[in-house]
Amino acid sequence: MRTLSGVSEGTDTVVEQPTPPPAPARRGLTRRTWTLVVSLAVVLGLGLLGGFARVPYVALGPGPTYDTLSQVNGADVVHIERQQTFPTNGTLTMTTVSLTDDVSLFGALGLWVSGRYALAPREEFFRPGESEQEVRDQNVKAFQDSQTSAEVAALRYLRYPMKVVAAEVTKGSAADNVIQPNDRLLAVNGKEVAQYEDVRTALEGTKPGDQVDITFQRESARQTARVTLGKQDDRQNGFLGVLPVDRADVDFDIKISLSDVGGPSAGLLFALSIVDKLTPGELNGGQSVAGTGEIDDKGNVGRIGGINFKMVAAHEAGAKTFLVPAGNCDEAKQHAPEGMKLVKVEKLADAVSSLEAINAGRDFPTC
Protein backbone atom coordinates (compact mmCIF):
# COMPACT_ATOMS: atom_id res chain seq x y z
CA MET A 1 0.00 0.00 0.00
CA ARG A 2 1.40 3.43 -0.93
CA THR A 3 0.89 6.63 0.84
CA LEU A 4 0.57 9.98 -0.83
CA SER A 5 4.08 10.77 0.38
CA GLY A 6 5.51 7.91 -1.59
CA VAL A 7 6.63 6.03 1.57
CA SER A 8 5.11 2.56 2.34
CA GLU A 9 3.39 2.17 5.71
CA GLY A 10 5.45 0.51 8.42
CA THR A 11 8.79 0.89 6.63
CA ASP A 12 11.31 3.61 5.80
CA THR A 13 11.66 2.37 2.25
CA VAL A 14 11.27 4.97 -0.45
CA VAL A 15 9.10 3.76 -3.27
CA GLU A 16 10.12 5.03 -6.66
CA GLN A 17 7.41 6.77 -8.67
CA PRO A 18 7.22 7.10 -12.38
CA THR A 19 9.05 10.22 -13.62
CA PRO A 20 6.51 12.92 -14.56
CA PRO A 21 6.92 14.68 -17.87
CA PRO A 22 8.84 17.99 -17.74
CA ALA A 23 6.74 21.12 -17.03
CA PRO A 24 6.42 23.52 -19.90
CA ALA A 25 8.86 26.48 -19.67
CA ARG A 26 7.34 29.70 -18.15
CA ARG A 27 7.58 32.92 -20.00
CA GLY A 28 8.22 36.33 -18.26
CA LEU A 29 9.17 37.11 -14.65
CA THR A 30 8.58 34.67 -11.86
CA ARG A 31 6.56 35.52 -8.77
CA ARG A 32 9.77 35.79 -6.73
CA THR A 33 11.28 38.22 -9.22
CA TRP A 34 8.12 40.33 -9.19
CA THR A 35 8.29 40.46 -5.38
CA LEU A 36 11.88 41.69 -5.54
CA VAL A 37 11.01 44.31 -8.15
CA VAL A 38 8.06 45.62 -6.14
CA SER A 39 10.12 45.67 -2.91
CA LEU A 40 12.90 47.63 -4.59
CA ALA A 41 10.37 50.08 -6.01
CA VAL A 42 8.87 50.63 -2.55
CA VAL A 43 12.30 51.18 -1.00
CA LEU A 44 13.27 53.58 -3.78
CA GLY A 45 9.97 55.44 -3.39
CA LEU A 46 10.43 55.80 0.35
CA GLY A 47 14.00 56.97 -0.19
CA LEU A 48 12.88 59.62 -2.66
CA LEU A 49 10.04 60.64 -0.34
CA GLY A 50 12.33 60.94 2.68
CA GLY A 51 15.05 62.73 0.73
CA PHE A 52 12.92 65.20 -1.20
CA ALA A 53 9.59 65.53 0.59
CA ARG A 54 9.53 68.68 2.77
CA VAL A 55 8.05 68.63 6.25
CA PRO A 56 6.17 71.58 7.87
CA TYR A 57 8.89 72.07 10.46
CA VAL A 58 12.03 74.14 10.93
CA ALA A 59 15.18 73.01 12.73
CA LEU A 60 16.58 75.21 15.51
CA GLY A 61 20.12 74.88 16.83
CA PRO A 62 23.21 76.78 18.05
CA GLY A 63 24.11 79.59 15.67
CA PRO A 64 27.27 81.65 15.05
CA THR A 65 28.72 83.82 17.81
CA TYR A 66 30.23 87.30 17.42
CA ASP A 67 32.50 89.18 19.78
CA THR A 68 31.06 92.70 19.86
CA LEU A 69 34.41 94.09 21.04
CA SER A 70 36.31 92.81 18.02
CA GLN A 71 36.08 92.85 14.24
CA VAL A 72 34.10 90.86 11.72
CA ASN A 73 35.25 90.85 8.09
CA GLY A 74 37.85 93.50 8.88
CA ALA A 75 35.42 96.02 10.44
CA ASP A 76 34.75 96.83 14.08
CA VAL A 77 31.42 95.39 15.16
CA VAL A 78 30.93 98.55 17.24
CA HIS A 79 32.75 101.60 15.91
CA ILE A 80 32.63 105.02 17.63
CA GLU A 81 33.69 108.07 15.64
CA ARG A 82 34.77 111.51 16.88
CA GLN A 83 34.78 110.52 20.56
CA GLN A 84 37.48 109.25 22.88
CA THR A 85 37.35 105.49 23.43
CA PHE A 86 39.29 103.24 25.79
CA PRO A 87 41.08 99.92 25.20
CA THR A 88 39.11 96.73 25.76
CA ASN A 89 40.14 93.13 26.36
CA GLY A 90 38.45 89.76 26.65
CA THR A 91 35.16 89.22 24.85
CA LEU A 92 31.54 90.31 24.99
CA THR A 93 30.04 87.65 22.76
CA MET A 94 26.57 87.84 21.30
CA THR A 95 24.96 84.50 20.55
CA THR A 96 22.47 83.46 17.89
CA VAL A 97 20.14 80.62 16.97
CA SER A 98 20.35 78.97 13.57
CA LEU A 99 17.06 78.30 11.78
CA THR A 100 17.01 75.73 9.00
CA ASP A 101 13.96 75.86 6.77
CA ASP A 102 12.88 73.68 3.82
CA VAL A 103 13.84 70.52 5.71
CA SER A 104 13.33 67.06 4.20
CA LEU A 105 11.90 64.17 6.19
CA PHE A 106 15.26 62.41 6.48
CA GLY A 107 17.03 65.72 7.09
CA ALA A 108 14.67 66.57 9.96
CA LEU A 109 15.17 63.16 11.53
CA GLY A 110 18.95 63.46 11.21
CA LEU A 111 19.02 66.89 12.85
CA TRP A 112 16.75 65.74 15.66
CA VAL A 113 18.76 62.58 16.35
CA SER A 114 21.99 64.64 16.54
CA GLY A 115 20.78 66.12 19.84
CA ARG A 116 21.96 69.64 18.87
CA TYR A 117 18.76 70.65 17.13
CA ALA A 118 15.06 70.80 17.89
CA LEU A 119 12.14 70.80 15.49
CA ALA A 120 9.39 73.38 15.69
CA PRO A 121 6.26 73.93 13.57
CA ARG A 122 7.06 76.18 10.63
CA GLU A 123 3.93 78.24 11.27
CA GLU A 124 5.50 79.57 14.47
CA PHE A 125 8.06 81.44 12.35
CA PHE A 126 6.30 81.90 9.01
CA ARG A 127 2.71 83.10 9.03
CA PRO A 128 0.35 81.75 6.34
CA GLY A 129 0.90 83.57 3.07
CA GLU A 130 4.10 85.19 4.32
CA SER A 131 7.17 84.74 2.15
CA GLU A 132 10.65 83.92 3.40
CA GLN A 133 11.82 87.31 2.11
CA GLU A 134 9.17 89.09 4.17
CA VAL A 135 10.26 87.23 7.30
CA ARG A 136 13.89 88.01 6.52
CA ASP A 137 13.08 91.71 6.09
CA GLN A 138 11.25 91.76 9.43
CA ASN A 139 14.21 90.15 11.19
CA VAL A 140 16.62 92.64 9.62
CA LYS A 141 14.39 95.51 10.73
CA ALA A 142 14.26 94.10 14.28
CA PHE A 143 18.05 93.79 14.28
CA GLN A 144 18.47 97.40 13.15
CA ASP A 145 16.00 98.61 15.77
CA SER A 146 17.95 96.69 18.43
CA GLN A 147 21.09 98.58 17.45
CA THR A 148 19.35 101.94 17.83
CA SER A 149 17.84 100.94 21.18
CA ALA A 150 21.23 99.68 22.37
CA GLU A 151 22.88 103.00 21.48
CA VAL A 152 20.22 105.07 23.26
CA ALA A 153 20.20 102.78 26.31
CA ALA A 154 24.00 102.84 26.62
CA LEU A 155 24.31 106.62 26.29
CA ARG A 156 21.38 107.17 28.64
CA TYR A 157 23.11 104.91 31.20
CA LEU A 158 26.30 106.98 30.75
CA ARG A 159 24.19 110.13 31.35
CA TYR A 160 24.60 111.73 27.95
CA PRO A 161 21.80 114.21 27.15
CA MET A 162 18.71 112.98 25.28
CA LYS A 163 16.41 114.55 22.73
CA VAL A 164 13.07 113.64 21.14
CA VAL A 165 12.79 113.37 17.37
CA ALA A 166 10.04 112.42 14.94
CA ALA A 167 10.70 108.91 13.69
CA GLU A 168 7.65 108.75 11.41
CA VAL A 169 4.88 111.09 10.29
CA THR A 170 1.49 109.65 9.31
CA LYS A 171 0.42 110.68 5.84
CA GLY A 172 -2.66 112.89 5.87
CA SER A 173 -2.38 113.58 9.60
CA ALA A 174 -2.24 116.93 11.36
CA ALA A 175 1.55 116.87 11.35
CA ASP A 176 1.87 115.88 7.69
CA ASN A 177 3.59 118.60 5.61
CA VAL A 178 4.58 120.31 8.85
CA ILE A 179 6.88 117.89 10.67
CA GLN A 180 9.50 115.83 8.83
CA PRO A 181 11.25 112.65 10.04
CA ASN A 182 14.28 113.49 12.23
CA ASP A 183 12.89 116.90 13.23
CA ARG A 184 13.58 117.53 16.89
CA LEU A 185 10.40 118.05 18.95
CA LEU A 186 10.79 120.81 21.55
CA ALA A 187 7.23 121.51 22.73
CA VAL A 188 3.69 120.30 22.01
CA ASN A 189 0.55 122.16 23.08
CA GLY A 190 2.60 124.54 25.20
CA LYS A 191 4.37 121.75 27.13
CA GLU A 192 8.09 121.08 26.91
CA VAL A 193 9.13 117.73 25.44
CA ALA A 194 12.10 116.03 27.12
CA GLN A 195 11.25 112.38 26.43
CA TYR A 196 8.92 110.71 23.97
CA GLU A 197 6.21 110.04 26.59
CA ASP A 198 5.84 113.84 26.97
CA VAL A 199 4.19 114.07 23.55
CA ARG A 200 1.36 111.75 24.57
CA THR A 201 1.01 113.55 27.91
CA ALA A 202 0.78 116.93 26.15
CA LEU A 203 -2.18 115.72 24.07
CA GLU A 204 -4.20 114.37 26.99
CA GLY A 205 -7.51 116.18 27.29
CA THR A 206 -7.51 117.34 23.66
CA LYS A 207 -10.09 116.23 21.10
CA PRO A 208 -10.25 116.02 17.30
CA GLY A 209 -10.59 119.51 15.80
CA ASP A 210 -8.58 121.24 18.53
CA GLN A 211 -5.69 123.44 17.42
CA VAL A 212 -2.32 123.05 19.12
CA ASP A 213 1.12 124.56 18.60
CA ILE A 214 4.17 122.42 17.85
CA THR A 215 7.67 123.79 18.37
CA PHE A 216 10.39 121.87 16.58
CA GLN A 217 13.92 122.20 15.27
CA ARG A 218 15.02 121.30 11.77
CA GLU A 219 18.79 121.38 11.45
CA SER A 220 19.59 124.62 13.30
CA ALA A 221 16.30 126.47 12.70
CA ARG A 222 13.68 126.60 15.47
CA GLN A 223 10.09 126.77 14.21
CA THR A 224 6.56 126.83 15.62
CA ALA A 225 3.46 125.74 13.71
CA ARG A 226 -0.23 125.51 14.60
CA VAL A 227 -2.03 122.34 13.51
CA THR A 228 -5.57 120.99 13.77
CA LEU A 229 -5.72 117.62 15.49
CA GLY A 230 -7.39 114.76 13.68
CA LYS A 231 -9.08 111.53 14.77
CA GLN A 232 -7.81 107.97 14.64
CA ASP A 233 -9.69 104.79 15.53
CA ASP A 234 -11.41 105.03 18.91
CA ARG A 235 -8.96 107.45 20.49
CA GLN A 236 -10.59 110.13 22.61
CA ASN A 237 -7.64 112.52 22.36
CA GLY A 238 -6.81 114.44 19.22
CA PHE A 239 -4.45 112.69 16.81
CA LEU A 240 -1.20 114.46 15.88
CA GLY A 241 0.31 111.80 13.60
CA VAL A 242 3.91 111.83 14.85
CA LEU A 243 5.82 108.84 16.21
CA PRO A 244 8.24 110.35 18.75
CA VAL A 245 11.39 108.50 19.85
CA ASP A 246 14.27 109.26 22.17
CA ARG A 247 17.74 109.75 20.71
CA ALA A 248 21.07 110.72 22.26
CA ASP A 249 21.89 114.40 21.82
CA VAL A 250 25.59 113.92 21.04
CA ASP A 251 27.97 115.09 18.32
CA PHE A 252 29.62 111.71 17.71
CA ASP A 253 28.49 108.66 15.79
CA ILE A 254 28.18 105.01 16.72
CA LYS A 255 28.12 102.49 13.89
CA ILE A 256 27.33 98.81 14.36
CA SER A 257 28.47 96.62 11.46
CA LEU A 258 27.21 93.07 11.37
CA SER A 259 25.45 91.47 8.42
CA ASP A 260 23.49 88.24 7.94
CA VAL A 261 22.03 88.43 11.45
CA GLY A 262 18.38 89.06 12.27
CA GLY A 263 16.20 89.56 15.32
CA PRO A 264 16.38 91.86 18.34
CA SER A 265 18.20 89.76 20.93
CA ALA A 266 21.71 91.19 20.43
CA GLY A 267 20.73 94.54 21.94
CA LEU A 268 22.13 93.92 25.44
CA LEU A 269 25.58 92.94 24.15
CA PHE A 270 25.74 95.92 21.80
CA ALA A 271 24.88 98.25 24.67
CA LEU A 272 27.54 96.72 26.92
CA SER A 273 30.14 97.05 24.18
CA ILE A 274 29.34 100.75 23.80
CA VAL A 275 29.59 101.28 27.56
CA ASP A 276 32.89 99.37 27.67
CA LYS A 277 34.46 101.39 24.87
CA LEU A 278 33.37 104.75 26.29
CA THR A 279 34.59 104.09 29.85
CA PRO A 280 38.05 103.37 31.29
CA GLY A 281 38.90 99.82 32.33
CA GLU A 282 37.67 96.47 31.13
CA LEU A 283 34.02 95.81 31.85
CA ASN A 284 34.48 92.05 31.54
CA GLY A 285 37.72 91.97 33.51
CA GLY A 286 39.51 90.70 30.41
CA GLN A 287 37.52 87.45 30.52
CA SER A 288 35.24 85.73 28.05
CA VAL A 289 31.63 86.80 28.65
CA ALA A 290 28.65 85.93 26.47
CA GLY A 291 24.95 86.62 26.67
CA THR A 292 21.73 87.62 25.01
CA GLY A 293 18.77 89.89 25.59
CA GLU A 294 16.46 92.29 23.83
CA ILE A 295 16.81 95.84 25.13
CA ASP A 296 14.66 98.96 24.87
CA ASP A 297 15.90 102.54 24.86
CA LYS A 298 15.32 102.78 28.63
CA GLY A 299 17.72 99.88 29.24
CA ASN A 300 15.10 97.27 30.14
CA VAL A 301 16.15 93.75 29.10
CA GLY A 302 13.47 91.42 27.74
CA ARG A 303 13.29 87.65 27.39
CA ILE A 304 14.29 85.96 24.15
CA GLY A 305 13.89 82.60 22.44
CA GLY A 306 16.35 79.75 22.06
CA ILE A 307 18.28 80.33 25.29
CA ASN A 308 19.42 76.70 25.48
CA PHE A 309 20.96 76.82 21.99
CA LYS A 310 22.63 80.14 22.74
CA MET A 311 24.27 78.80 25.88
CA VAL A 312 25.62 75.83 23.91
CA ALA A 313 27.09 78.22 21.34
CA ALA A 314 28.61 80.37 24.10
CA HIS A 315 30.12 77.33 25.82
CA GLU A 316 31.69 76.17 22.58
CA ALA A 317 33.09 79.68 22.06
CA GLY A 318 34.86 79.44 25.43
CA ALA A 319 32.61 81.69 27.54
CA LYS A 320 32.43 80.96 31.27
CA THR A 321 29.88 83.67 32.13
CA PHE A 322 26.51 84.07 30.44
CA LEU A 323 24.17 87.06 30.81
CA VAL A 324 20.58 85.79 31.02
CA PRO A 325 17.42 87.94 30.77
CA ALA A 326 15.47 87.50 34.01
CA GLY A 327 12.52 86.12 32.05
CA ASN A 328 14.67 83.24 30.75
CA CYS A 329 16.23 82.23 34.06
CA ASP A 330 14.09 79.15 34.77
CA GLU A 331 14.75 77.71 31.32
CA ALA A 332 18.44 78.61 31.45
CA LYS A 333 18.98 76.75 34.73
CA GLN A 334 17.68 73.55 33.16
CA HIS A 335 20.04 73.67 30.18
CA ALA A 336 23.16 75.48 31.42
CA PRO A 337 26.46 73.81 30.42
CA GLU A 338 28.50 72.57 33.36
CA GLY A 339 30.63 75.26 34.98
CA MET A 340 28.93 78.23 33.33
CA LYS A 341 27.97 81.21 35.54
CA LEU A 342 24.47 82.48 34.86
CA VAL A 343 24.02 86.21 35.54
CA LYS A 344 20.42 87.35 35.97
CA VAL A 345 19.79 90.64 34.13
CA GLU A 346 16.70 92.86 34.21
CA LYS A 347 18.31 96.13 33.10
CA LEU A 348 21.51 97.29 31.43
CA ALA A 349 22.63 98.69 34.77
CA ASP A 350 22.26 95.19 36.28
CA ALA A 351 24.59 93.72 33.66
CA VAL A 352 27.23 96.40 34.26
CA SER A 353 27.11 96.14 38.06
CA SER A 354 27.14 92.31 37.95
CA LEU A 355 30.22 92.23 35.74
CA GLU A 356 31.93 94.69 38.08
CA ALA A 357 30.98 92.46 41.03
CA ILE A 358 32.40 89.36 39.33
CA ASN A 359 35.67 91.17 38.64
CA ALA A 360 35.86 92.27 42.28
CA GLY A 361 34.95 88.84 43.66
CA ARG A 362 31.62 90.02 45.08
CA ASP A 363 28.22 88.35 44.91
CA PHE A 364 26.00 89.00 41.90
CA PRO A 365 22.39 88.12 40.97
CA THR A 366 22.16 84.63 39.50
CA CYS A 367 19.42 82.47 38.06
Side-chain angles (χ1 to χ4, degrees), residues 9 18 50 93 112 135-136 146 168 195 222 229 237 266 306 342 363:
E9 291 182 332
T93 301
W112 180 73
V135 173
R136 188 177 297 110
S146 75
E168 298 176 11
Q195 55 186 358
R222 182 186 177 103
L229 298 177
N237 295 330
L342 301 183
D363 293 336

Side-chain angles (χ1 to χ4, degrees), residues 185-204:
L185 304 178
L186 301 174
V188 174
N189 198 23
K191 299 178 181 179
E192 184 179 348
V193 172
Q195 55 186 358
Y196 73 85
E197 295 95 339
D198 294 338
V199 176
R200 183 182 65 251
T201 302
L203 295 174
E204 290 180 353

Side-chain angles (χ1 to χ4, degrees), residues 46-172:
L46 290 175
L48 292 174
L49 180 65
F52 292 97
R54 275 14 192 186
V55 295
Y57 289 88
V58 296
L60 305 174
T65 60
Y66 303 93
D67 177 15
T68 58
L69 295 177
S70 66
Q71 295 185 335
V72 172
N73 296 326
D76 290 342
V77 175
V78 176
H79 181 63
I80 302 175
E81 298 178 342
R82 302 193 309 276
Q83 178 70 2
Q84 180 184 9
T85 58
F86 298 88
T88 61
N89 201 355
T91 65
L92 286 174
T93 301
M94 57 166 280
T95 52
T96 66
V97 174
S98 70
L99 185 151
T100 304
D101 189 25
D102 197 25
V103 183
S104 69
L105 177 60
F106 285 172
L109 290 174
L111 292 171
W112 180 73
V113 169
S114 72
R116 286 176 57 83
Y117 294 84
L119 300 178
R122 190 178 189 275
E123 62 188 18
E124 293 184 6
F125 300 88
F126 299 88
R127 291 190 292 269
E130 192 173 43
S131 69
E132 293 184 24
Q133 185 60 49
E134 289 174 328
V135 173
R136 188 177 297 110
D137 291 343
Q138 292 170 11
N139 285 332
V140 170
K141 175 67 163 54
F143 187 65
Q144 293 171 343
D145 290 345
S146 75
Q147 297 173 11
T148 301
S149 296
E151 176 183 337
V152 175
L155 296 183
R156 190 193 301 275
Y157 169 79
L158 294 174
R159 301 188 181 282
Y160 283 92
M162 294 286 126
K163 63 182 178 181
V164 181
V165 302
E168 298 176 11
V169 179
T170 303
K171 188 175 181 179

